[in-house]
Amino acid sequence: MNESFQYRLSKSEKNEIAENLIDIVQRNTCINKQTQTFISNWVLTGPEEKRKAFFDVWDIVLKNYLPTTRPLLFRSSKRISKKNKITSFTGRIECAKRFSNGKDILIICDTKESLKFEEEFYKVGNYTHTFYPLVSVLKKAKKSGDSGFSERVLNFIGEDEYIMRFDLNTMNSLKWINMD
């Protein structure tokens, strides 16, 4: 019997969760139970346990959400991911360094640069270079005091997580070096 985590959602559930995720940051809407479960499962599963349902929801969000902030985002990786893969980035370079133990490749995305023409040339539903500030949702949940998230999930605020599509054409990659 397969012991791996199985997470499935219907098409309407995916759309509802995506809509709630967008509304949380755009309209200050409350986080519904289904979205809480989605976020908790996303945060608590490792890369090998992430299933299609997760990526389908994030795909809907990223095509329809244009962020208002433009942070520098970082990711450490053993190898360059394939283009358009949906993945996590952090807003803290020290997190990226910790994830890789100061080895591997550091990927940097200047979202101000990558989103420069997004609003001008793309329409809602067709965005290609956007990102989603998952950390903002967790901070909002913690601030509310009764978020429905476990303390373990809320501890992920420190990772300053953002979800985005990997596209090295709009990013830079560097190799960590050890100066010792």
Side-chain angles (χ1 to χ4, degrees), residues 15-108:
N15 285 320
E16 289 169 19
I17 292 168
E19 186 176 317
N20 188 233
L21 284 164
I22 293 168
D23 288 346
I24 290 165
V25 290
Q26 283 186 336
R27 296 178 182 84
N28 205 24
T29 303
C30 292
I31 304 165
N32 69 34
K33 184 67 178 159
Q34 192 172 24
T35 303
Q36 288 170 358
T37 301
F38 173 82
I39 292 170
S40 294
N41 286 336
W42 172 264
V43 168
L44 296 174
T45 57
E48 63 285 341
E49 294 179 304
K50 302 265 194 271
R51 299 289 181 246
K52 185 177 182 318
F54 288 119
F55 299 109
D56 289 349
V57 171
W58 288 126
D59 185 55
I60 296 166
V61 170
L62 294 174
K63 286 180 179 178
N64 292 285
Y65 173 71
L66 187 63
T68 56
T69 61
R70 303 292 190 264
L72 284 176
L73 298 178
F74 309 94
R75 177 173 177 78
S76 283
S77 182
K78 291 187 186 309
R79 63 189 189 297
I80 300 295
S81 299
K82 62 182 181 179
K83 187 176 177 175
N84 291 327
K85 178 181 179 187
I86 294 172
T87 189
S88 296
F89 277 70
T90 179
R92 298 176 52 209
I93 195 165
E94 62 272 11
C95 280
K97 186 175 183 179
R98 180 174 39 91
F99 294 148
S100 74
N101 294 319
K103 300 175 184 174
D104 307 324
I105 299 168
L106 173 65
I107 300 158
I108 304 168

